[in-house]
Amino acid sequence: MEKLTINDFQAMLRKALEKISERADEFSKLDAILGDGDHGTAIVQAMSVIVESSEKGTEFDQMLSDMGMNVMMQISGSTSTLLGGFFLGMSDALPSGLTELDAAQVKALFAGGLAGVQKQTKAKQGDKTMMDALIPAVEAIQATPGNDIKVILQAGAEAALKGAEETVNMKANFGRARNYGERSIGYADSGACSWSCMFDAFAKA
């Protein structure tokens, strides 16, 4: 695939909402081990607002900006703040008025998304958070040669899923989970799992 259209991106978001909704209970159960157990519900609510906002979009930068702002305004909590940062960062990475993106622009889109999240959290790779899925995904997207957007998104999905798996053996250094210390080892991080699910859905869509 040479170009990513608005319709393609909207389909990616719908797929992400569908896949995350299917696994919401699983994410909440993981979150209950180390957090307050509402991550599944929170990310479904946040993604629902994002999908709804995207449906009216006709150009990338404005659509992404609306998605980011709406989710932050309508849903409280860290999940929506991080997703909002992700989409606002994506919006900042693109010139205005684009209705389709080439491979280089898709790479810029995801790099911008990561930069947007980094404005909202100090968590780094290895802290057992969603960054363990997001950072490898964006690095893999940047490192994938060629112009096939499908291949680029697939590389991102694989790296995100691997990153989420690796959180099982990590000790949490961030957020409420860090209070559990060594006891946080042996469970995947709910945020890393939900973000890797989103990247996987992007690639499948």
Side-chain angles (χ1 to χ4, degrees):
M1 176 162 110
E2 296 282 316
K3 294 270 187 179
L4 184 76
T5 65
I6 289 271
N7 286 347
D8 295 334
F9 194 73
Q10 288 163 338
M12 283 161 59
L13 294 166
R14 285 194 296 271
K15 187 73 159 177
L17 174 58
E18 176 197 326
K19 292 290 171 203
I20 285 169
S21 299
E22 282 169 13
R23 292 178 59 191
D25 287 352
E26 175 196 338
F27 299 145
S28 287
K29 280 182 187 131
L30 278 174
D31 189 37
I33 298 164
L34 304 173
D36 47 16
D38 68 350
H39 182 65
T41 319
I43 195 157
V44 169
Q45 284 178 332
M47 285 303 294
S48 300
V49 171
I50 286 164
V51 166
E52 195 185 328
S53 301
S54 75
E55 296 298 338
K56 305 178 197 76
T58 54
E59 52 181 37
F60 272 101
D61 63 316
Q62 189 60 52
M63 175 179 77
L64 290 159
S65 173
D66 289 346
M67 285 157 53
M69 292 304 289
N70 287 344
V71 74
M72 282 175 159
M73 288 190 303
Q74 290 179 35
I75 311 273
S76 61
S78 59
T79 299
S80 60
T81 304
L82 293 168
L83 280 166
F86 184 59
F87 292 113
L88 287 173
M90 284 184 157
S91 172
D92 291 343
L94 295 176
S96 61
L98 294 178
T99 56
E100 52 180 29
L101 308 179
D102 62 21
Q105 287 164 332
V106 168
K107 289 180 180 185
L109 181 78
F110 282 97
L114 173 58
V117 172
Q118 284 168 331
K119 287 181 190 164
Q120 305 291 344
T121 177
K122 299 279 180 282
K124 294 181 179 61
Q125 203 170 346
D127 284 339
K128 194 170 181 129
T129 67
M130 39 69 71
M131 293 305 247
D132 290 301
L134 176 59
I135 292 172
V138 173
E139 285 176 352
I141 285 169
Q142 302 309 315
T144 305
N147 293 324
D148 190 331
I149 292 167
K150 235 178 196 160
V151 173
I152 291 168
L153 292 175
Q154 190 58 47
E158 282 164 18
L161 293 166
K162 185 165 169 281
E165 267 166 44
E166 284 168 3
T167 64
V168 172
N169 301 317
M170 289 176 189
K171 182 161 81 73
N173 296 328
F174 217 79
R176 255 174 301 197
R178 68 165 177 245
N179 304 332
Y180 289 81
E182 299 293 331
R183 283 179 301 161
S184 62
I185 297 171
Y187 302 99
D189 176 68
S190 58
C193 291
S194 63
W195 280 69
S196 67
C197 177
M198 176 170 75
F199 273 93
D200 190 42
F202 285 170
K204 289 197 166 89

